[in-house]
Amino acid sequence: MFLPRRKSTVVPLVCFIALSLWYFNNLQPTVGPLLPSTQQQAASHRVASGQDPSAPNAPVSASIDGHYDPSAAVTKPSERYPVQSLIRLPAGPPDNIPKIQHSFGTETQKEKAEREQRLTAVKDSFVHSWEGYRKYAWKKDELAPIRGGHATTFGGWGATLVDSLDTLWMMGLIEDFEAAIEAIKEIDLSKVKLQLLNVFETTIRYLGGLLGAYDLSGGRYPILLDKAKEVGDFLYGAFDTPNRLPVTRWDWEAARKGTEQEASDVALLAEVGSLTLEFTRLAQLTNDDKYFDAVQRISDVLDQQQNKTTLPGLWPVIMDAKRGKFADVGYTLGGMADSAYEYLPKQHMLLGGLTQQYRKMYEATLTPITKHIFFRAMNPENEEILVSGSVRVNENAGAIVPDFKAQHLGCFTGGMVGIGAKIFDRPDDLQTARRLVDGCIWVYDHTQTGIMPEIFQMVPCKDDLCKWDEDWWLRAVGIRTDKIEEVFQSMTEVAKGRWVAENQRLPQGFSSIPDRRYILRPEAIESVFVFYRITGEKKYQDAAWRMFTAIERYTRTDIANAAIHDVTMTSPPKDDRMESFWLAETLKYFYAIFADPAVLSLDDYVLNKSSTTKGDSGHGPGAFEASNPVDVYRSHISELLAPVAQKPVKDIYDRLAWTQTFDKGDLGLAVPSLRVPPKEATAKAAEWSANFPSSDLVEKPVVAGTFLQFFFKPQPLMGLIVPSILRKKTVYGTNPKLGLRDESDPSKGQKRIIVEFSSPNIAKPFHAGHLRSTIIGGFLANLYEAAGWDVLRMNYLGDWGRQFGLLAEAYNMYGSEEKLQKDPIGHLFDIYVAINQISKPEEDEIKEKKDQLKKASEMGRDTTALEKEIEQLGSKSVNEKARQYFKRMEDGEDAALALWKRFRDLSIERYKRTYSRLNIRYDEYSGESQVEMERMERAAQQLAKSGVSETSEGAVIVDLTKNPKTKKLGKALVRKKDGSSLYLTRDIGEAVKRHELYQFDKMIYVVASQQDLHLAQLFKILELMGHQDVAEKCQHINFGMVQGMSTRKGTVKFLDDILRDVGEKMHEVMQKNDTKYQQVENPEQTADTLGITAVMVQDMSGKRVNNYEFSLERMTSFEGDTGPYLQYAHARLCSITRKAGLSAEDLEAADLSLLQESHAINLVRALSSWPDVVQNTLKTQEPVTVLAYLFKMTHMLSSSYDVLKVVGSEPEVKKARMALYEAARQVLNNGMELLGLSPVERSARGTPDRL
């Protein structure tokens, strides 16, 4: 029989949660695990019940609130073969394991809509099957999805229920998740409904399911860990054998009675070798090494025997576990062996790379696997696909005999090889992984149902070219048949093969299909998911969708989903079986491939055979350790201080704040913030400091009045921060989880924010206000994107109104097609100025005549002639023509709109070129023209209907002075006496429209402080008219004015003119150092970049609300806190890198313990705080928060160069210092890009050669 490769547990990838594993083990006994509360509770309950809290076999049972029920515990017999010396979890700083997951960009709205539609379809399928299970098989192992019954297959403890917990949580089905937890309370391990228990299946389904759910839910449900420990202690009895290898088919009742037992001399490799991840994770969470010892002994045997088998490097399917040896001659990566291989790279990750044993074992398997097990299959499309087969070794002949029979279960290999290629830096293996994954997709695509069978045989290529040969295929089909038909006697081999292929429904490429079932297996979609996350290639999402729709079509029943008998039939009969991995794994991977990439990230989780993840939900201990390494220290300090202060861990964690200066520590805690009376705070601070346990990560806290100051120990910090930066590169400091709608359920997606900024008026100068809005808005968009929000950058143009009628008349009079094409904004501005020189005298004359009319009327004179003259002047005026033209635009006249649209489109294209120089981009160019008249009318009607607006002297207003709370907002004019609408009406309609269209969670208007009143009125009116949900999501980010911004000629001009002038000035400054100037590859481009940086940094150097003086001389200086100085600091680090001549591998291998100097220590302390700076900037929304940090850090760098010299230092010291400098350069680069700057590598300012 083929033992199914079950579900896929996801266990936290410890090395990517920084020092977690290190201090799990290295700081015992004073330090608990990352989520210690459960352990502390467990200890206290055991003491309360008279148990020794350190006793390894203390019985465990629990309720949902974490309380134990000793009466329900399983009684355990004393061990016959107790371990004399435990193998302990490896300790020390985790190794630097490379990033696995692709860096995904921003998807289009269309792509997102398609992905979310597919995601919903998968979730609906899960809900359908889960509801069937709840109705017909609740608390049972499996559902019978056709008749509605149930089956007991794995001990009767509710395998499907436990196995599906992680998927429930990931899909946000929290009510069902908690209902399942209530049911778990009733699992009684003293009642097992099978005499022989499969230890492997019980481990992956129950132990893995419980651990995965505990991790994914962030430790919120202690019962999950309690029950996991109960299961682990129960299964631990299977290891009580003379050689400590487990009894895989275990008579648990006989063992409980004290019957002697020993491991089988005929055991399956997968059942012995696939227990490591679950037991190791249990050891990490409980701090009990006995579980790790149990499985590490198995790994040691596999390690010792790996090169002693008949096919060195691989282990055969059958193992003599009794003697710890192998004598079989059959080898496969399919059933009975699969996960023993799969777990090797994953155990390496789970242990943080602290031992190279699993890497060595994995890499030793690759040569024989690729040479003998994987084969290229011939196919009609001539695609380069690989399939995983099997071999037997003929010991007498010394021959290796291949068998080209493949299994659906073997499709896990693509994912395994892909992960191994990434974490062990084997790039060539990635192509092998691709071909394996493509092979599984190919098989799905080429059956009649679009579903892969359980077992199938394909034809290997006959030569290296591997071109399709139909006769070769048909001969292979004929040879494979075991039928004896009279008709065959007169047939050629080809004809025989054709007859068999037609009668057995064999698609081209398949030589036989021994097992045509599909039993809802997950292995293919698992590898497709893994490879999609590695490469980011959308074709794998599309393949997954084809797979899902085919499976859903043929397996769905009225109750759930069922296995099918024959994937080659167009209407295959169903089997009344739904194994737990359908809900627990298959649908989980279909869901994950269409979820946001942050869900089930391969850089955060290790996937094994049962359940899911360590959840980083909530801002508590361990909240963002993968994104912010300093959170490791927050967790650590909180856990150590909690029992001393008798305060909750989370309360301490939330109040640990970063400090302004290093002399006050790396983190500080205000004792009164923990609800300590002020009079007692000083004494409490001293008491807590005195009783603070010793730690390998932090010094004993320093008392400073009512504050505790925590100083990080330098070497652990150095070993954590520098490798983290070198590994994460541009994502160091970002935290995509902050942008999730629900951090506990990433499947709910990202929060969406609209940032409206810049908003120039077409045909008018791009003035200082627009410049500030552009710079600040671009920064805020980058900031929220770094925090994981779905950011929509919007430019709301001033593109409507009577001035466009005037512009059209101007173009008719002065327009030049050539000038319009060359510089649309400048040309439109010029003709707009020209026509105003005509219209102004006309308007002045009309105004003068109207004044005369008024006086004449007051004196009782005849005004008929004067009225006629005014009417004639008005009808002939340019403004009247402009009004009529704009009226045609409002009426929708095609010709009038065509010219307006052309002006608008050309202007936008020109704006785009200007914005690109500032690293600014937009997702949407909106504008006043896009607000439909119907929306404005609807808004006006709603204001009137709700009683918010009123008529005053013929105009419509909203009188906010009537309410004392809004009195300062005054009276808002909504509509003029002549019935025309104002900006406020448009803004109301536009805000409601955006909310309907984009369903945003937040919208920011980046507009000058002169508009404070207007926007305050807008938000209040939205609230009053019933759109409180919209108003609450809106925010005005204001800013002060720039004074003196003009060209060098003294005239206010467009932004391009300003940037040109600053660039020219920077070019002049650069030319003063001719030697360095000659080294710059493109000095004009560099000068332009430096000039833009100068403008932007001067703008961001103070708080937004402050006005500042635009100073060309000051901003272009390399001295002081200026943009050029920041660029120089980055260029200088690049210069050091060039001169050092070290590779990335050299830096990764650097011995950071050599960095003992105070300059190095303070620099790494500064680098460690960068993620906190980014997170704090989300609160301040001030670019200066980032800028101040960068200047502070670069000043520290500058003072380090004379002390931490690279050139001329000892080789190992050189590597260490260069690793630190490269980390500093990366952080500087990240900060500059967050601000919207483009870091340069050469600045043409002198860099001392002594570096």
Side-chain angles (χ1 to χ4, degrees), residues 554-574:
Y554 290 103
T555 68
R556 190 178 180 97
T557 71
D558 292 339
I559 295 172
N561 290 73
I564 56 176
H565 280 293
D566 191 341
V567 299
T568 69
M569 297 176 67
T570 54
S571 297
K574 295 181 176 69

Side-chain angles (χ1 to χ4, degrees), residues 290-307:
K290 76 173 186 181
Y291 306 111
F292 177 73
D293 172 275
V295 291
Q296 183 57 36
R297 292 176 185 275
I298 300 171
S299 298
D300 288 343
V301 170
L302 295 178
D303 191 7
Q304 294 160 11
Q305 292 291 312
Q306 187 169 18
N307 292 316

Side-chain angles (χ1 to χ4, degrees), residues 457-742:
Q457 201 146 7
M458 295 191 71
V459 181
C461 298
K462 64 178 181 178
D463 54 36
D464 291 339
L465 293 177
C466 200
K467 297 297 183 184
W468 173 249
D469 185 333
E470 183 164 318
D471 287 352
W472 180 265
W473 165 61
L474 291 171
R475 289 190 189 98
V477 172
I479 292 170
R480 299 295 178 198
T481 184
D482 55 1
K483 292 182 177 293
I484 301 175
E485 302 281 352
E486 288 184 6
V487 69
F488 289 167
Q489 295 176 6
S490 60
M491 286 186 178
T492 63
E493 287 183 352
V494 171
K496 178 182 175 183
R498 181 170 286 108
W499 189 94
V500 171
E502 290 173 357
N503 283 272
Q504 294 188 4
R505 301 183 302 280
L506 293 179
Q508 288 186 324
F510 294 79
S511 57
S512 70
I513 307 180
D515 188 343
R516 297 173 178 242
R517 295 176 301 149
Y518 172 67
I519 62 171
L520 307 176
R521 281 201 177 280
E523 291 79 15
I525 181 55
E526 177 185 356
S527 277
V528 173
F529 157 75
V530 168
F531 207 71
Y532 166 69
R533 288 293 183 84
I534 289 174
T535 64
E537 295 176 21
K538 188 179 181 298
K539 70 175 185 178
Y540 292 105
Q541 278 188 318
D542 295 335
W545 182 243
R546 294 195 303 274
M547 293 162 64
F548 171 77
T549 52
I551 293 169
E552 183 73 356
R553 177 183 178 187
Y554 290 103
T555 68
R556 190 178 180 97
T557 71
D558 292 339
I559 295 172
N561 290 73
I564 56 176
H565 280 293
D566 191 341
V567 299
T568 69
M569 297 176 67
T570 54
S571 297
K574 295 181 176 69
D575 188 316
D576 200 11
R577 182 96 189 265
M578 186 185 84
E579 290 207 41
S580 68
F581 50 64
W582 167 245
L583 294 176
E585 186 174 18
T586 307
L587 286 177
K588 177 174 66 186
Y589 285 120
F590 276 120
Y591 186 85
I593 198 171
F594 300 121
D596 187 277
V599 177
L600 213 60
S601 167
L602 299 182
D603 292 323
D604 293 331
Y605 307 120
V606 176
L607 315 176
N608 77 332
K609 283 187 180 297
S610 194
S611 281
T612 305
T613 72
K614 177 180 188 299
D616 285 341
S617 54
H619 298 262
F624 298 125
E625 288 165 9
S627 302
N628 185 356
V630 173
D631 280 349
V632 171
Y633 288 84
R634 286 192 173 90
S635 293
H636 179 57
I637 292 169
S638 304
E639 291 156 9
L640 291 186
L641 188 58
V644 173
Q646 295 296 297
K647 299 292 182 182
V649 171
K650 188 178 185 302
D651 285 1
I652 297 171
Y653 183 97
D654 289 342
R655 288 160 178 80
L656 283 169
W658 57 306
T659 61
Q660 294 296 323
T661 57
F662 290 148
D663 63 311
K664 292 181 173 62
D666 297 284
L667 289 173
L669 177 68
V671 173
S673 69
L674 290 169
R675 294 179 295 281
V676 174
K679 292 182 180 179
E680 301 175 16
T682 302
K684 283 292 183 185
E687 176 191 329
W688 294 355
S689 175
N691 295 321
F692 191 83
S694 62
S695 162
D696 283 2
L697 295 184
V698 295
E699 307 287 356
K700 187 174 283 292
V702 174
V703 179
T706 60
F707 283 81
L708 288 178
Q709 298 171 348
F710 294 91
F711 291 81
F712 300 162
K713 289 187 174 179
Q715 287 311 306
L717 183 68
M718 193 77 70
L720 169 64
I721 298 301
V722 174
S724 178
I725 297 170
L726 296 181
R727 182 178 68 248
K728 293 183 178 180
K729 299 188 185 326
T730 57
V731 299
Y732 178 69
T734 64
N735 187 352
K737 292 185 180 179
L738 293 171
L740 295 175
R741 284 201 165 96
D742 183 349

Side-chain angles (χ1 to χ4, degrees), residues 94 166 243 301 476 656 816:
D166 60 328
N243 64 355
V301 170
L656 283 169
S816 163

Side-chain angles (χ1 to χ4, degrees), residues 372-435:
H372 301 298
I373 303 291
F374 298 158
F375 68 95
R376 185 175 176 188
M378 186 178 71
N379 59 88
E381 294 85 3
N382 295 317
E383 292 185 17
E384 289 189 46
I385 59 173
L386 290 177
V387 179
S388 182
S390 59
V391 296
R392 294 190 68 81
V393 177
N394 186 327
E395 290 184 277
N396 295 328
I400 297 174
V401 182
D403 184 355
F404 304 109
K405 193 178 292 180
Q407 304 173 28
H408 190 293
L409 196 149
C411 276
F412 81 93
T413 53
M416 176 191 75
V417 175
I419 288 173
K422 298 294 285 187
I423 67 171
F424 297 135
D425 194 22
R426 300 172 59 94
D428 291 344
D429 289 352
L430 206 58
Q431 187 62 20
T432 301
R434 178 185 295 277
R435 291 171 179 173

Side-chain angles (χ1 to χ4, degrees), residues 942-1164:
Q942 194 172 352
L943 284 168
K945 186 177 180 181
S946 61
V948 174
S949 66
E950 59 186 75
T951 301
S952 174
E953 298 180 5
V956 178
I957 66 167
V958 175
D959 189 354
L960 298 170
T961 64
K962 294 180 178 179
N963 187 328
K965 293 182 180 180
T966 60
K967 188 174 182 179
K968 292 181 179 179
L969 297 181
K971 298 178 181 180
L973 183 61
V974 176
R975 179 169 289 177
K976 291 182 180 180
K977 293 179 182 179
D978 62 4
S980 60
S981 298
L982 295 170
Y983 287 116
L984 187 58
T985 319
R986 287 186 184 277
D987 286 346
I988 292 169
E990 176 68 6
V992 174
K993 173 186 174 182
R994 291 179 191 177
H995 193 257
E996 292 173 359
L997 187 61
Y998 297 110
Q999 293 297 303
F1000 58 78
D1001 299 277
K1002 188 179 184 70
M1003 179 162 64
I1004 288 175
Y1005 295 84
V1006 186
V1007 183
S1009 53
Q1010 290 97 321
Q1011 297 293 321
D1012 284 355
L1013 178 61
H1014 170 76
L1015 287 162
Q1017 290 176 339
L1018 169 64
F1019 301 160
K1020 177 52 66 174
I1021 292 171
L1022 281 169
E1023 178 187 330
L1024 293 174
M1025 63 189 293
H1027 294 295
Q1028 186 172 355
D1029 57 331
V1030 180
E1032 288 175 347
K1033 297 175 182 177
C1034 293
Q1035 181 185 7
H1036 175 204
I1037 295 291
N1038 62 1
F1039 51 84
M1041 296 308 296
V1042 186
Q1043 296 163 345
M1045 191 177 93
S1046 63
T1047 66
R1048 298 171 95 174
K1049 297 177 181 178
T1051 57
V1052 176
K1053 271 291 184 180
F1054 298 107
L1055 175 63
D1056 282 338
D1057 300 317
I1058 298 295
L1059 297 181
R1060 181 201 63 222
D1061 286 353
V1062 180
E1064 288 175 355
K1065 176 66 175 176
M1066 283 309 315
H1067 198 206
E1068 293 171 9
V1069 174
M1070 288 168 58
Q1071 288 174 316
K1072 292 178 182 178
N1073 188 330
D1074 187 63
T1075 303
K1076 293 295 178 182
Y1077 181 82
Q1078 298 303 325
Q1079 296 175 9
V1080 179
E1081 187 174 338
N1082 189 336
E1084 289 81 7
Q1085 178 60 47
T1086 301
D1088 184 65
T1089 301
L1090 290 174
I1092 291 169
T1093 303
V1095 171
M1096 294 178 71
V1097 168
Q1098 185 179 62
D1099 189 89
M1100 295 185 281
S1101 291
K1103 289 203 168 181
R1104 286 184 283 101
V1105 73
N1106 295 338
N1107 300 335
Y1108 73 88
E1109 186 73 28
F1110 188 87
S1111 171
L1112 196 62
E1113 292 298 323
R1114 186 170 65 249
M1115 75 170 66
T1116 55
S1117 173
F1118 280 100
E1119 304 299 328
D1121 291 346
T1122 65
Y1125 172 79
L1126 213 55
Q1127 290 284 17
Y1128 162 69
H1130 185 270
R1132 189 172 187 181
L1133 287 167
C1134 293
S1135 174
I1136 299 172
T1137 301
R1138 289 191 295 270
K1139 291 172 183 176
L1142 296 174
S1143 66
E1145 291 74 20
D1146 291 331
L1147 302 187
E1148 290 174 4
D1151 181 1
L1152 300 174
S1153 67
L1154 298 174
L1155 298 173
Q1156 300 285 343
E1157 300 85 354
S1158 61
H1159 288 77
I1161 293 166
N1162 284 335
L1163 182 55
V1164 83

